[in-house]
Amino acid sequence: MSKKILYKNQTTRKLSRNEKQRITIANLALIPSVIKNYIDTLVKVYRPTFTYKLKVEFFYYIIVTIIRRQNTYENKALENIPVALNATVLRGIKSDYNEYIDWLIEQEVIFKAENYVAGNSSNKYCFANFILPSLKEDSGSEIVEMEALKSNTIIVARSIEESEVYEDNKHLLKWFNDGLEIDFERAVTYIKDLSYYEGEIFDLTHKKVHWNHQILALHHKAFYATRNEESDFRLHTTLTNLKKIFKPFITYEGQELIGYDLKNSQPFFLIFLIDSIINNNDRISYILSKVYSKKTYNSFMLQNLRKRLSTESFQEEYKMFKTWVLNGEIYENMESIIKPKKRLGSYFANKYNARKKVTEIKKVDDVRALMKGVIFTLFFSGIKTRNSNYKIFKEAFPNLVDAIELFKGNDNAVFSKLLQNIESECIIDFVSRKIAKEYPEMPLFSIHDSLSTTENYALILEDLMPKYIFEYTGLTPKIEEEKWKKHHYQVDYVKRVELHPEWYAYNDF
């Protein structure tokens, strides 16, 4: 069987036009109690008059969507950042959706932070200063049902089995059931007593709002799953947005979970991408055509890439970089090029704060973390970045960086989307599907570039994951074990308690 046929048989089915016009939302949602009570009281006393029949559940839906969008990988700081709402989805649920948003703004529940500029930005919303103090003081949440929003165009999924992505990803999503549990009381106590996080002491109150939302979703089995072929194509679930600090509290049917991460996954998939273009791999051809427009993919970009990749100067640089990545020595070798210097016993990096639109100096724990930041800048910054480390690396690998910049074109975000699509096709649609077919009784959970299972299946997963990654890519991966119960953050926590007992209430971890 050819690679092309094998690949197509395992690709997630595309939705028909009629299916795309229908919108699926989860029935169960978590909303902060203080906001729900405030909205319920105002609706009862000062009932708003809208164009169509009032559905108070739509207020809840807007609030929950803002929290969920704030609770993403991009918002690592878990701040009250402004987030965009999908107007197409909102309009599909309620054609008069703007009246609901305007009412929430008038009641000082949310705040419109950025005006729409055609072609540049969308309206963005966050919680208003009026509601924030109450939200921080009372982090309790309530489960609400969205059944009232059901219509001819709206499907309300009463369980994860009814989500629009379930059938195509059943081999992973079927394990989101009553067996997946969190030690809720210990997790709540952990959040309550935590005052020192990621090397800094600062106000954690808004983080704790998000953390409570994450663990409550697991506690109440409010499972959800999404996968957008038009975006990163990653499978997003209740677990993918869970902070690592809560992994020690998660079990499946009482058993510890053990995960295996693909080390240096983004550089690894870059190597696969370049090798595949050189060798005309059908898998990559399909993904490229999906991510880029036909005009870009079929003409200028691909021609220029193949020309660039075939030069002797590129091959020289690429051979060295590829060796670093596959040997798991990329960060150590990059250090010898960047030659970072310590100041006051620590490393510091310039990081651009998109919300404040300024570059800030941030303390970095160690040189490895600093080099990871350099890779992140190399892959995901704009080609006009002024980052000094980017320039140093480009001087050492001018041809490699030029090739990466060709992938970025006028939009650096498209390269990130490309690598995430490759990762997702490999891990979700090939590796995990192969493992699930061979061992259908094995619980299997994905978190982007990693797969996890229960302790009694760990050795099987450890053996099969690199085997099938190699089968997909032709490259030998480095896999790293992660025991959820013994997550490194727990070690850090204990260590910091010993060093700074005045900052902690130690909870017998």
Side-chain angles (χ1 to χ4, degrees):
M1 183 178 286
S2 72
K3 286 184 178 180
K4 191 168 186 177
I5 295 173
L6 178 64
Y7 172 77
K8 284 189 172 180
N9 284 344
Q10 294 173 338
T11 300
T12 301
R13 178 181 62 83
K14 288 187 177 181
L15 297 176
S16 68
R17 184 176 179 181
N18 288 337
E19 288 174 315
K20 284 183 177 180
Q21 290 173 344
R22 294 158 69 191
I23 297 167
T24 301
I25 63 174
N27 183 35
L28 296 183
L30 280 166
I31 183 170
S33 301
V34 66
I35 295 182
K36 182 182 183 297
N37 294 338
Y38 181 58
I39 290 174
D40 289 348
T41 302
L42 286 174
V43 167
K44 188 175 181 179
V45 179
Y46 308 106
R47 191 173 183 84
T49 54
F50 291 160
T51 304
Y52 302 105
K53 182 182 177 181
L54 172 69
K55 290 191 175 181
V56 69
E57 289 83 2
F58 193 53
F59 287 131
Y60 306 155
Y61 179 83
I62 293 169
I63 298 302
V64 169
T65 302
I66 290 173
I67 292 175
R68 184 171 288 176
R69 293 211 166 189
Q70 285 187 337
N71 202 8
T72 58
Y73 176 81
E74 286 76 13
N75 182 19
K76 284 186 175 180
L78 293 180
E79 297 173 340
N80 181 36
I81 65 167
V83 293
L85 299 174
N86 189 321
T88 303
V89 173
L90 295 180
R91 191 181 297 111
I93 299 174
K94 290 288 292 177
S95 59
D96 57 338
Y97 74 94
N98 274 319
E99 292 181 320
Y100 285 78
I101 290 176
D102 291 343
W103 187 85
L104 288 172
I105 292 172
E106 288 171 12
Q107 307 309 323
E108 297 184 83
V109 177
I110 64 175
F111 169 69
K112 185 163 73 173
E114 184 178 333
N115 292 325
Y116 173 76
V117 179
N120 291 320
S121 62
S122 302
N123 288 328
K124 293 183 179 179
Y125 305 90
C126 56
F127 293 108
N129 291 332
F130 171 78
I131 204 76
L132 274 177
S134 300
L135 189 61
K136 291 178 177 181
E137 288 170 12
D138 180 7
S139 56
S141 294
E142 292 183 41
I143 286 280
V144 294
E145 293 187 358
M146 298 296 174
E147 189 69 27
L149 299 181
K150 185 177 181 180
S151 69
N152 291 333
T153 57
I154 303 302
I155 301 168
V156 177
R158 289 165 295 180
S159 66
I160 197 168
E161 288 84 359
E162 294 182 1
S163 71
E164 59 188 353
V165 300
Y166 183 80
E167 283 304 317
D168 288 332
N169 301 280
K170 185 177 180 179
H171 65 293
L172 293 170
L173 297 181
K174 67 181 180 180
W175 305 108
F176 284 84
N177 53 42
D178 288 343
L180 186 61
E181 294 183 312
I182 183 168
D183 189 334
F184 184 67
E185 296 303 323
R186 290 184 70 212
V188 167
T189 304
Y190 181 76
I191 293 173
K192 181 181 176 182
D193 293 332
L194 188 62
S195 60
Y196 181 86
Y197 180 68
E198 291 187 347
E200 298 181 38
I201 307 168
F202 52 90
D203 183 5
L204 294 174
T205 47
H206 200 75
K207 285 182 185 289
K208 291 182 179 183
V209 171
H210 286 284
W211 290 340
N212 275 293
H213 190 269
Q214 291 176 8
I215 64 174
L216 278 163
L218 276 165
H219 180 59
H220 290 293
K221 316 295 183 186
F223 302 133
Y224 64 87
T226 61
R227 196 177 184 196
N228 186 355
E229 189 173 11
E230 306 301 320
S231 182
D232 59 14
F233 205 37
R234 283 175 157 181
L235 182 63
H236 296 273
T237 67
T238 319
L239 286 181
T240 58
N241 285 335
L242 184 75
K243 272 293 187 183
K244 287 184 177 181
I245 55 176
F246 300 118
K247 283 187 172 183
F249 306 108
I250 308 294
T251 56
Y252 185 78
E253 293 187 345
Q255 289 196 53
E256 174 187 353
L257 290 176
I258 297 176
Y260 294 92
D261 297 339
L262 172 58
K263 291 184 68 175
N264 309 328
S265 63
Q266 298 299 299
F268 180 86
F269 286 121
L270 172 63
I271 298 300
F272 172 60
L273 170 62
I274 292 173
D275 279 2
S276 297
I277 291 175
I278 293 172
N279 298 319
N280 295 314
N281 187 327
D282 287 326
R283 286 195 177 109
I284 283 298
S285 298
Y286 176 79
I287 297 172
L288 285 167
S289 66
K290 199 170 65 166
V291 172
Y292 295 96
S293 68
K294 285 185 179 180
K295 184 178 179 182
T296 302
Y297 168 66
N298 289 329
S299 57
F300 174 78
M301 189 193 79
L302 199 57
Q303 291 175 19
N304 277 273
L305 269 171
R306 284 186 172 142
K307 185 178 178 181
R308 187 68 55 87
L309 302 186
S310 65
T311 63
E312 188 177 337
S313 52
F314 174 84
Q315 288 293 330
E316 222 172 275
E317 293 176 13
Y318 178 59
K319 184 179 179 181
M320 182 184 297
F321 185 77
K322 182 177 179 177
T323 301
W324 291 359
V325 172
L326 298 183
N327 287 348
E329 300 169 346
I330 183 171
Y331 299 123
E332 292 79 3
N333 283 289
M334 284 184 66
E335 181 185 354
S336 66
I337 292 174
I338 304 297
K339 297 176 182 176
K341 294 180 180 178
K342 280 188 175 182
R343 286 181 286 166
L344 301 175
S346 300
Y347 294 102
F348 293 86
N350 293 326
K351 293 189 178 181
Y352 182 71
N353 187 318
R355 184 166 62 88
K356 297 178 182 178
K357 296 183 178 179
V358 296
T359 298
E360 301 173 331
I361 298 175
K362 294 284 186 180
K363 183 180 175 181
V364 181
D365 290 338
D366 54 48
V367 70
R368 185 178 178 83
L370 185 64
M371 292 304 103
K372 281 186 177 181
V374 175
I375 284 288
F376 186 88
T377 302
L378 175 67
F379 282 17
F380 307 123
S381 69
I383 61 177
K384 294 182 179 179
T385 179
R386 296 180 181 179
N387 185 281
S388 58
N389 289 333
Y390 185 97
K391 291 179 179 179
I392 293 171
F393 189 84
K394 187 171 182 177
E395 288 174 2
F397 291 88
N399 294 283
L400 177 63
V401 176
D402 281 348
I404 292 173
E405 290 179 349
L406 271 175
F407 284 113
K408 293 179 182 179
N410 296 323
D411 181 6
N412 56 288
V414 76
F415 185 56
S416 170
K417 179 180 174 182
L418 174 61
L419 292 180
Q420 288 167 346
N421 267 260
I422 296 170
E423 167 205 280
S424 184
E425 294 277 5
C426 175
I427 303 298
I428 303 300
D429 290 322
F430 190 87
V431 176
S432 66
R433 204 178 295 277
K434 283 258 189 179
I435 294 170
K437 186 176 181 180
E438 196 169 339
Y439 288 89
E441 73 283 4
M442 179 196 296
L444 202 56
F445 302 95
S446 69
I447 301 181
H448 304 321
D449 61 1
S450 72
L451 293 173
S452 299
T453 189
T454 49
E455 50 194 320
N456 55 328
Y457 284 104
L459 292 178
I460 296 172
L461 180 58
E462 183 181 25
D463 178 58
L464 293 183
M465 186 176 172
K467 172 185 172 182
Y468 289 133
I469 290 176
F470 176 80
E471 187 175 321
Y472 183 90
T473 64
L475 303 171
T476 303
K478 295 284 185 182
I479 303 295
E480 187 172 34
E481 184 183 74
E482 178 192 36
K483 293 186 177 181
W484 286 35
K485 280 284 185 186
K486 297 180 180 178
H487 193 271
H488 66 86
Y489 195 89
Q490 289 298 98
V491 176
D492 291 346
Y493 178 84
V494 174
K495 200 178 293 181
R496 287 165 181 167
V497 167
E498 293 171 352
L499 292 172
H500 309 286
E502 70 276 14
W503 295 340
Y504 284 96
Y506 184 54
N507 292 303
D508 193 30
F509 288 122

